């Protein structure tokens, strides 16, 4: 476990008067590295897996449906595809998989609904993909948020999560864009790169597995044009969603 995460958990538990033993500080952690394949999560019986984020995670899910492992509740994107494979491959583990992504969300939107849409579900594995709208809204809607605010808000979100769920296993998705396709013009650069770097820093700080989606989409363009993977440069096609799901599954032992 990284020093930052170990120290944070220890301070939080001591502050709450709940430190009853060292076991909470000795759980296996999953380190950030240059490749998302450097560490993997081993699933346990009864694990609760939650996909959280924006439209790339939402993809038309039925937001009134709170059932686990339900096709309508999981949307039509990478979360559904990954969930399908998880439930097939680990049928004996009684997994419960949820998706609470909401289209258009930024980190401050997650903060407003975090208690109900994340903490109340009590995930043991939490996958977050957020950040593209935090930047995009500064381009198309004149939002005044900065990359520094994105970072501090993201840190606050994860600190709150670790206070409530100190043993949760984190997967952080790098926000991505396919340059030159759809909405992704030169106006995005180099500023958007700072948001991606921030997500990587967040993953390292909180000892999460990083999913380097930008590299994944860049590499995919060696076999087919960018629009084949994300028609508007942001939202994955069916092929792009499957590619994301495959990469997500590579995080699991």
């Amino acid at each position: 476990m990284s020093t930052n995460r170990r120290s944070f958990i220890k301070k939080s538990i001591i502050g709450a008067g709940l430190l009853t033993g060292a076991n909470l500080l000795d759980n296996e952690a999953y380190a950030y590295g240059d490749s998302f394949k450097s560490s993997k999560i081993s699933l346990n019986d009864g694990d609760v897996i939650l996909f959280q984020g924006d439209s790339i995670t939402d993809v038309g899910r039925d937001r009134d449906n709170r059932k686990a492992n339900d096709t309508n509740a999981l949307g039509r994107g990478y979360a559904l595809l990954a969930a399908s494979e998880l439930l097939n491959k680990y049928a004996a583990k009684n997994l419960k998989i949820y998706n609470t992504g909401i289209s258009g969300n930024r980190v401050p939107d997650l903060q407003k609904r975090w208690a109900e849409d994340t903490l109340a579900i009590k995930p043991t594995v939490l996958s977050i993909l957020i950040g593209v709208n935090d930047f995009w809204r500064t381009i198309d809607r004149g939002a005044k948020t900065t990359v520094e605010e994105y970072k501090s808000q993201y840190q606050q979100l994860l600190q709150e999560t670790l206070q409530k769920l100190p043993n949760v296993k984190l997967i952080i998705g790098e926000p991505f864009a396919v340059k030159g396709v759809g909405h992704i013009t030169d106006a995005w650069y180099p500023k958007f790169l700072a948001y991606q770097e921030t997500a990587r820093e967040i993953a390292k700080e909180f000892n999460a597995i990083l999913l380097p989606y930008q590299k994944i989409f860049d590499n995919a363009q060696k076999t087919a044009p960018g629009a084949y993977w994300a028609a508007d440069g942001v939202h994955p096609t069916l092929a792009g969603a499957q590619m994301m799901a495959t990469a997500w599954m590579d995080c699991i032992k």
Side-chain angles (χ1 to χ4, degrees):
M1 181 175 288
S2 70
T3 301
N4 287 344
R5 179 163 176 160
R6 183 188 295 271
S7 298
F8 173 78
I9 294 173
K10 184 174 181 180
K11 289 176 182 177
S12 299
I13 296 172
I14 292 175
L18 297 175
L19 186 58
T20 58
N23 61 309
L24 289 179
L25 302 180
D26 292 330
N27 291 324
E28 183 178 4
Y30 300 94
Y32 165 96
D34 292 334
S35 168
F36 68 97
K37 293 183 180 180
S38 62
S39 301
K40 298 196 177 194
I41 288 173
S42 180
L43 295 178
N44 299 313
D45 289 347
D47 265 343
V48 177
I49 301 169
L50 174 61
F51 292 90
Q52 182 61 277
D54 52 34
S55 59
I56 300 171
T57 301
D58 181 342
V59 199
R61 71 179 179 87
D62 180 358
R63 297 178 191 169
D64 294 324
N65 187 341
R66 306 289 287 194
K67 296 178 182 177
N69 308 340
D70 186 275
T71 301
N72 293 326
L74 288 166
R76 302 188 304 274
Y78 79 94
L80 172 66
L81 296 172
S84 299
E85 187 170 352
L86 284 166
L87 293 170
N88 180 52
K89 187 174 181 179
Y90 302 99
K93 288 190 179 293
N94 192 32
L95 302 176
K96 294 180 176 61
I97 308 174
Y98 298 88
N99 177 2
T100 55
I102 292 184
S103 179
N105 267 196
R106 303 176 298 160
V107 175
D109 299 306
L110 293 187
Q111 289 180 304
K112 292 175 184 177
R113 61 186 184 85
W114 203 246
E116 178 180 359
D117 286 352
T118 300
L119 300 180
I121 295 172
K122 298 181 179 179
T124 54
V125 178
L126 174 58
S127 175
I128 308 171
L129 174 58
I130 199 74
V132 68
N133 290 317
D134 293 77
F135 172 73
W136 197 355
R137 296 293 84 89
T138 69
I139 294 290
D140 67 349
R141 298 185 188 177
K144 302 301 182 183
T145 53
T146 65
V147 69
E148 290 79 16
E149 290 172 312
Y150 169 65
K151 183 173 186 177
S152 65
Q153 291 164 351
Y154 210 154
Q155 289 170 321
Q156 291 167 15
L157 199 69
L158 293 182
Q159 288 166 356
E160 178 184 1
T161 302
L162 293 177
Q163 285 178 333
K164 303 293 186 180
L165 306 168
N167 296 318
V168 68
K169 300 167 186 176
L170 297 172
I171 300 174
I172 301 295
E174 176 188 34
F176 63 90
V178 181
K179 192 173 183 178
V181 175
H183 304 288
I184 313 305
T185 66
D186 289 341
W188 280 56
Y189 300 94
K191 291 183 179 180
F192 181 56
L193 301 178
Y195 288 76
Q196 296 179 310
E197 176 61 26
T198 293
R200 294 192 289 269
E201 292 172 354
I202 291 286
K204 184 176 182 180
E205 178 181 353
F206 289 89
N207 212 25
I209 290 179
L210 173 74
L211 267 168
Y213 281 129
Q214 187 62 59
K215 181 182 293 185
I216 291 167
F217 275 84
D218 288 346
N219 288 339
Q221 292 176 67
K222 297 174 183 177
T223 57
Y228 180 83
W229 306 104
D232 66 355
V234 174
H235 299 95
T237 60
L238 182 58
Q242 180 60 65
M243 181 171 64
M244 291 180 67
T246 299
W248 196 97
M249 286 299 300
D250 274 343
C251 297
I252 308 298
K253 289 183 181 179

